[in-house]
Amino acid sequence: MHEDHSHRHLHVGIDRRQLRESAEQQLWPNFRRTATTDWLGPLKDGLRSIGRPELATLVLAVIRGLLMDLDATGDTTRTDRAFRDSLGSLDAVEHPSSGHRRTGPPV
């Protein structure tokens, strides 16, 4: 008779994830919150120089996503290009107060 052990893989996966998350908390408590709060201010300040501080959360999300991508794939050429493209696309994002797109040189 064959026993079904498929559920064991699920438990092992959950245990590993919980262990990893626990280790991350021990190595750098509150990393997720800190990585957001520590980076958001400087990004907002930098984007204020081009009149777009409201895009700080968007830019931070792109940076975090690309860092995860780079960590998973190691493809610096592609992720660097994607970051440059995302910065260039900031011109196309409408400014909330005017409803108009930003004009001027590309970011």
Side-chain angles (χ1 to χ4, degrees), residues 51-52 54 94-100:
R52 300 307 303 271
E54 74 280 359
E94 289 188 11
H95 197 284
S97 64
S98 67
H100 297 289

PDB file of all heavy atoms in Angstrom, residues 51-52 54 94-100:
ATOM      1  N   GLY A  51      10.238  68.435  -8.821  1.00  0.00           N
ATOM      2  CA  GLY A  51       8.837  68.764  -8.633  1.00  0.00           C
ATOM      3  C   GLY A  51       7.903  67.570  -8.549  1.00  0.00           C
ATOM      4  O   GLY A  51       6.703  67.710  -8.768  1.00  0.00           O
ATOM      5  N   ARG A  52       8.419  66.383  -8.216  1.00  0.00           N
ATOM      6  CA  ARG A  52       7.583  65.179  -8.195  1.00  0.00           C
ATOM      7  C   ARG A  52       7.773  64.319  -6.941  1.00  0.00           C
ATOM      8  O   ARG A  52       7.918  63.104  -7.019  1.00  0.00           O
ATOM      9  CB  ARG A  52       7.880  64.342  -9.438  1.00  0.00           C
ATOM     10  CG  ARG A  52       7.615  65.012 -10.762  1.00  0.00           C
ATOM     11  CD  ARG A  52       6.216  65.588 -10.913  1.00  0.00           C
ATOM     12  NE  ARG A  52       5.151  64.637 -10.721  1.00  0.00           N
ATOM     13  CZ  ARG A  52       4.628  63.883 -11.680  1.00  0.00           C
ATOM     14  NH1 ARG A  52       5.060  63.997 -12.916  1.00  0.00           N
ATOM     15  NH2 ARG A  52       3.663  63.029 -11.412  1.00  0.00           N
ATOM     16  N   GLU A  54       5.727  63.198  -4.935  1.00  0.00           N
ATOM     17  CA  GLU A  54       4.645  62.220  -4.772  1.00  0.00           C
ATOM     18  C   GLU A  54       4.957  60.887  -5.451  1.00  0.00           C
ATOM     19  O   GLU A  54       4.278  59.891  -5.218  1.00  0.00           O
ATOM     20  CB  GLU A  54       3.318  62.786  -5.297  1.00  0.00           C
ATOM     21  CG  GLU A  54       3.201  62.843  -6.799  1.00  0.00           C
ATOM     22  CD  GLU A  54       3.908  64.023  -7.465  1.00  0.00           C
ATOM     23  OE1 GLU A  54       4.510  64.862  -6.761  1.00  0.00           O
ATOM     24  OE2 GLU A  54       3.861  64.089  -8.697  1.00  0.00           O
ATOM     25  N   GLU A  94       1.348  61.616 -15.048  1.00  0.00           N
ATOM     26  CA  GLU A  94       0.666  62.894 -14.898  1.00  0.00           C
ATOM     27  C   GLU A  94       0.879  63.468 -13.514  1.00  0.00           C
ATOM     28  O   GLU A  94       0.893  62.753 -12.524  1.00  0.00           O
ATOM     29  CB  GLU A  94      -0.836  62.730 -15.155  1.00  0.00           C
ATOM     30  CG  GLU A  94      -1.144  62.484 -16.603  1.00  0.00           C
ATOM     31  CD  GLU A  94      -2.635  62.512 -16.880  1.00  0.00           C
ATOM     32  OE1 GLU A  94      -3.410  62.929 -16.009  1.00  0.00           O
ATOM     33  OE2 GLU A  94      -3.007  62.117 -17.990  1.00  0.00           O
ATOM     34  N   HIS A  95       1.028  64.773 -13.456  1.00  0.00           N
ATOM     35  CA  HIS A  95       1.170  65.480 -12.189  1.00  0.00           C
ATOM     36  C   HIS A  95      -0.224  65.627 -11.594  1.00  0.00           C
ATOM     37  O   HIS A  95      -1.131  66.130 -12.252  1.00  0.00           O
ATOM     38  CB  HIS A  95       1.822  66.848 -12.415  1.00  0.00           C
ATOM     39  CG  HIS A  95       2.356  67.441 -11.162  1.00  0.00           C
ATOM     40  ND1 HIS A  95       1.537  68.007 -10.218  1.00  0.00           N
ATOM     41  CD2 HIS A  95       3.619  67.543 -10.695  1.00  0.00           C
ATOM     42  CE1 HIS A  95       2.278  68.450  -9.218  1.00  0.00           C
ATOM     43  NE2 HIS A  95       3.537  68.174  -9.489  1.00  0.00           N
ATOM     44  N   PRO A  96      -0.446  65.200 -10.348  1.00  0.00           N
ATOM     45  CA  PRO A  96      -1.789  65.185  -9.792  1.00  0.00           C
ATOM     46  C   PRO A  96      -2.440  66.564  -9.651  1.00  0.00           C
ATOM     47  O   PRO A  96      -3.644  66.694  -9.799  1.00  0.00           O
ATOM     48  CB  PRO A  96      -1.612  64.533  -8.421  1.00  0.00           C
ATOM     49  CG  PRO A  96      -0.182  64.682  -8.096  1.00  0.00           C
ATOM     50  CD  PRO A  96       0.555  64.722  -9.409  1.00  0.00           C
ATOM     51  N   SER A  97      -1.666  67.592  -9.398  1.00  0.00           N
ATOM     52  CA  SER A  97      -2.279  68.902  -9.180  1.00  0.00           C
ATOM     53  C   SER A  97      -2.698  69.578 -10.478  1.00  0.00           C
ATOM     54  O   SER A  97      -3.625  70.361 -10.503  1.00  0.00           O
ATOM     55  CB  SER A  97      -1.320  69.812  -8.410  1.00  0.00           C
ATOM     56  OG  SER A  97      -0.164  70.052  -9.177  1.00  0.00           O
ATOM     57  N   SER A  98      -2.035  69.236 -11.563  1.00  0.00           N
ATOM     58  CA  SER A  98      -2.354  69.918 -12.811  1.00  0.00           C
ATOM     59  C   SER A  98      -3.079  69.032 -13.815  1.00  0.00           C
ATOM     60  O   SER A  98      -3.731  69.529 -14.723  1.00  0.00           O
ATOM     61  CB  SER A  98      -1.063  70.424 -13.466  1.00  0.00           C
ATOM     62  OG  SER A  98      -0.281  69.328 -13.891  1.00  0.00           O
ATOM     63  N   GLY A  99      -2.924  67.714 -13.660  1.00  0.00           N
ATOM     64  CA  GLY A  99      -3.491  66.813 -14.647  1.00  0.00           C
ATOM     65  C   GLY A  99      -2.686  66.795 -15.929  1.00  0.00           C
ATOM     66  O   GLY A  99      -3.040  66.150 -16.902  1.00  0.00           O
ATOM     67  N   HIS A 100      -1.574  67.509 -15.945  1.00  0.00           N
ATOM     68  CA  HIS A 100      -0.713  67.575 -17.131  1.00  0.00           C
ATOM     69  C   HIS A 100       0.560  66.796 -16.876  1.00  0.00           C
ATOM     70  O   HIS A 100       1.003  66.646 -15.746  1.00  0.00           O
ATOM     71  CB  HIS A 100      -0.350  69.025 -17.460  1.00  0.00           C
ATOM     72  CG  HIS A 100      -1.536  69.860 -17.800  1.00  0.00           C
ATOM     73  ND1 HIS A 100      -2.240  69.706 -18.963  1.00  0.00           N
ATOM     74  CD2 HIS A 100      -2.140  70.852 -17.108  1.00  0.00           C
ATOM     75  CE1 HIS A 100      -3.239  70.571 -18.989  1.00  0.00           C
ATOM     76  NE2 HIS A 100      -3.202  71.282 -17.870  1.00  0.00           N
TER      77      HIS A 100
END
